[in-house]
Amino acid sequence: MSSTYTIGIDFGTDSVRAVVVNTANGSTAGAAVSYYKRWKEGKYCDASISQFRQHPKDYLESLEEAVKGALAGLSTEERLQVKGISIDTTGSTVVAVNEEGVPLSLLPEFEENPHAMFILWKDHTANKEAEEVNAAATKSAIDYTKYVGGIYSSEWFWAKILKTYRTDAGVRAAAYSWMEHCDWISAVLTGETKPLEIKRSRCAAGHKAMWNEEFDGLPSEEFLTSIDPLLGGLRERLFQDTATSDQVMGTISAEWAETLGLATDVVIGVGAFDCHMGAVGAEISPYAFVRVMGTSTCDILIAPNEEMKDTLVKGICGQVDGSVVPGYLGMEAGQSAYGDYYAWFQKLIVGPVCSLLGEEAAAQLEDKILPYLSEEAFKLPVSENDVVATDWINGRRTPDANHTLKAGFIGMNLSTDAVKMFKAIVEATSFGSKAIVDRFISQGVPIKEVIAIGGVAKKSPFVMQNLSDVLNVPIKVATSDQACALGAAMFAAVAAGIHPDVKTAQEKMGSGFDKEYYPRPEYVEVYQKLYSKYQKLGNFIETNA
């Protein structure tokens, strides 16, 4: 019997990764990465106001390039054995669409308009709108934020839509509906993108749009218009029901089948967010804490619904039935900047070099600086008098979302150099992680093990060892360097009927773990003292902002 394959496609912040996976044993038959060309040029973004937009052409072009690259080594016969494709994306990453489901920025009149493009997860231009959602929730007879941690974030669906409506009347008038990236790009592969007809991701809707069966779907028209009448009428042009990612979005269109060189019976699964599918790729089980560590972090837990039915965890990014694994409650938290924090410090050093010595010298330094800083920081002793920083360089996602917060440092003197600063930054990201773990535990959610995936987890022993020391727990690192795409491939295998459920797909297709970090007892106590300073610094910044 010939092997069957599925394709997992992972849309990250900077690029898209595609993997072709053997459904019998999880081996990778092909993989490729494609970087977004316009994004790489810095188009449509303004970091000074936290505006981050991506053009749908970047997604479409990179999707084709990555999948073709991943399939390049397969024979024609093997390509015909590809049975399913599933996609994960960042989120909440939303776009205004017309009645046919076409993003407005794909229309000539809006082609260069950032407000008509995908509003990336880390765009924080809607802080004011998020505050208004929260204010409305406190006055409402129904607290629509109860299943999203009690605090609505500017990174999410409704805040971004309202900010756009207030900013651009042209986009507001042309926007028939709105779609999450994971819904739109999955629908594109089927050729059927009408917003009222496609299946919407339970993951995206529950964690970012306040969808819940208890509310009969999305928040009521009355609640939405109490925030701003501009939202009136939109609810009925969105969706009522949602689907978990083991379900089928449709089959591949003839056009995409020809473009990619695949059969026309390939099943397209319902999409989800990268961290949720990544947790599945990391073989998540009940009460395992999976850290997806990249430009930001996303932390995922699952638990049996019956065990968590009376638990509402405050200040996280939501708890949604079936958002990760069907039949289980999925809980999400995370940090708005992780690898982005390290990249900021890298740019701080490299920027002047580029200006003074040229791009070639800067490029050489850029490749070497973070490995060098990590190696040297690893050698430093740890004392309770060390520099302490917060991790809020891009605001705080959890616990208790507040994207107006800024980062801060204390304890510096004339001996503080770049290595000591970098050490403090890494420790800050670990302290932010500990705050999340402590919140889950304090709210009655046990954590039985910690699993790490993502670029930081694979590439930085210093960061991982520091995290283990601060959390005072062992941390397992998944073998796969594309765990999100692998999780998508697992979901594709379930949607295509190759495996009966997610657990079986994990057992058959999982990559296992190739490294484990253990806390060093001599560092644990001093990090508790430094963590206390981190908390005091954070409290000072937040109360005096």
Side-chain angles (χ1 to χ4, degrees):
M1 182 178 176
S2 60
S3 297
T4 60
Y5 303 91
T6 55
I7 300 175
I9 304 174
D10 169 37
F11 281 87
T13 299
D14 304 314
S15 60
V16 59
R17 281 81 67 180
V19 296
V20 183
V21 182
N22 186 313
T23 60
N25 56 28
S27 62
T28 300
V33 179
S34 175
Y35 291 87
Y36 310 137
K37 296 176 179 62
R38 296 162 190 80
W39 172 261
K40 196 172 184 178
E41 295 172 5
K43 289 187 173 183
Y44 317 120
C45 299
D46 184 350
S48 69
I49 58 170
S50 293
Q51 175 180 299
F52 298 99
R53 309 294 161 89
Q54 293 184 327
H55 203 291
K57 287 184 178 179
D58 268 350
Y59 297 155
L60 294 170
E61 292 166 6
S62 290
L63 168 66
E64 181 177 343
E65 184 175 70
V67 175
K68 283 183 174 179
L71 288 167
L74 276 71
S75 67
T76 301
E77 290 74 20
E78 288 172 323
R79 288 181 182 222
L80 294 177
Q81 292 305 310
V82 172
K83 299 300 182 183
I85 298 174
S86 284
I87 295 174
D88 70 71
T89 71
T90 64
S92 184
T93 297
V94 296
V95 72
V97 298
N98 66 12
E99 199 165 351
E100 298 300 313
V102 177
L104 298 186
S105 46
L106 290 179
L107 304 177
E109 60 268 37
F110 294 106
E111 189 174 9
E112 296 297 314
N113 185 339
H115 306 305
M117 297 174 190
F118 280 90
I119 305 171
L120 192 63
W121 63 270
K122 68 177 182 177
D123 187 298
H124 292 158
T125 54
N127 284 329
K128 178 178 180 290
E129 285 70 22
E131 291 173 2
E132 293 176 42
V133 173
N134 287 314
T138 62
K139 299 174 185 176
S140 172
I142 299 173
D143 180 6
Y144 290 104
T145 68
K146 66 187 288 188
Y147 294 111
V148 292
I151 302 175
Y152 202 74
S153 167
S154 62
E155 293 185 348
W156 299 350
F157 189 81
W158 294 108
K160 289 177 172 178
I161 292 173
L162 181 55
K163 174 64 175 179
T164 304
Y165 279 179
R166 289 172 170 176
T167 303
D168 195 314
V171 170
R172 182 176 74 239
Y176 175 77
S177 189
W178 287 75
M179 288 189 188
E180 283 281 358
H181 182 193
C182 66
D183 292 331
W184 177 74
I185 198 70
S186 301
V188 163
L189 286 180
T190 72
E192 299 292 339
T193 59
K194 290 184 178 179
L196 295 183
E197 296 180 11
I198 69 166
K199 291 180 181 177
R200 303 291 190 120
S201 164
R202 170 78 56 87
C203 172
H207 286 282
K208 312 303 179 186
M210 296 186 287
W211 180 95
N212 196 280
E213 289 180 337
E214 181 181 312
F215 308 144
D216 192 30
L218 293 166
S220 69
E221 179 79 1
E222 179 184 12
F223 174 76
L224 295 172
T225 54
S226 75
I227 302 168
D228 193 313
L230 289 178
L231 294 175
L234 178 58
R235 186 184 191 275
E236 65 185 25
R237 301 195 305 274
L238 290 169
F239 53 90
Q240 176 70 27
D241 300 315
T242 63
T244 52
S245 294
D246 58 332
Q247 296 185 40
V248 176
M249 175 73 82
T251 55
I252 196 168
S253 68
E255 179 183 0
W256 274 103
E258 182 179 359
T259 297
L260 301 177
L262 299 174
T264 56
D265 62 350
V266 176
V267 168
I268 309 299
V270 172
F273 290 151
D274 45 8
C275 50
H276 296 71
M277 284 194 171
V280 169
E283 301 174 56
I284 193 171
S285 59
Y287 303 113
F289 184 74
V290 178
R291 306 217 76 214
V292 185
M293 302 168 68
T295 53
S296 68
T297 70
C298 192
D299 303 318
I300 300 294
L301 280 148
I302 63 170
N305 278 296
E306 61 274 13
E307 295 180 16
M308 290 287 114
K309 61 182 178 180
D310 297 321
T311 300
L312 286 174
V313 182
K314 297 178 181 178
I316 64 170
C317 301
Q319 48 193 81
V320 180
D321 179 18
S323 65
V324 183
V325 177
Y328 290 85
L329 187 70
M331 291 175 276
E332 176 192 344
Q335 293 163 273
S336 291
Y338 209 85
D340 262 356
Y341 205 172
Y342 312 151
W344 165 80
F345 193 62
Q346 177 190 54
K347 290 177 183 177
L348 198 69
I349 296 172
V350 173
V353 174
C354 185
S355 298
L356 294 170
L357 301 180
E359 292 184 2
E360 185 176 346
Q364 291 178 2
L365 179 60
E366 190 173 50
D367 290 338
K368 297 176 181 178
I369 189 65
L370 287 185
Y372 167 79
L373 291 171
S374 296
E375 185 177 335
E376 293 301 307
F378 222 156
K379 299 174 185 177
L380 291 176
V382 180
S383 80
E384 58 186 279
N385 296 317
D386 289 348
V387 178
V388 173
T390 65
D391 54 315
W392 303 336
I393 195 75
N394 195 28
R396 183 180 64 213
R397 180 180 295 164
T398 60
D400 306 318
N402 185 344
H403 290 294
T404 65
L405 293 174
K406 312 298 181 185
F409 293 77
I410 56 170
M412 293 182 288
N413 57 36
L414 290 176
S415 73
T416 303
D417 58 16
V419 176
K420 291 178 181 177
M421 288 282 287
F422 182 71
K423 172 177 170 289
I425 288 169
V426 170
E427 289 168 345
T429 57
S430 295
F431 294 148
S433 306
K434 180 172 171 56
I436 294 169
V437 168
D438 287 354
R439 175 59 60 89
F440 275 111
I441 294 172
S442 70
Q443 299 280 301
V445 182
I447 294 176
K448 294 183 178 179
E449 64 174 343
V450 178
I451 298 169
I453 65 173
V456 176
K458 299 294 289 185
K459 296 175 183 177
S460 182
F462 170 57
V463 172
M464 296 309 301
Q465 183 59 61
N466 184 260
L467 182 61
S468 180
D469 293 340
V470 170
L471 295 183
N472 193 22
V473 295
I475 302 174
K476 297 193 300 186
V477 179
T479 300
S480 175
D481 59 358
Q482 299 292 353
C484 293
L486 176 59
M490 291 176 179
F491 272 113
V494 178
I498 297 168
H499 295 308
D501 50 43
V502 171
K503 187 174 186 296
T504 304
Q506 287 177 305
E507 291 170 350
K508 296 290 187 181
M509 301 170 67
S511 67
F513 306 93
D514 62 1
K515 192 168 183 61
E516 188 163 6
Y517 293 87
Y518 296 91
R520 298 171 294 180
E522 65 271 25
Y523 290 98
V524 170
E525 185 175 350
V526 68
Y527 272 128
Q528 290 298 318
K529 294 177 180 178
L530 290 173
Y531 177 62
S532 179
K533 287 188 175 183
Y534 162 88
Q535 292 176 301
K536 291 177 182 177
L537 173 60
N539 182 64
F540 175 81
I541 291 172
E542 191 159 12
T543 56
N544 290 278

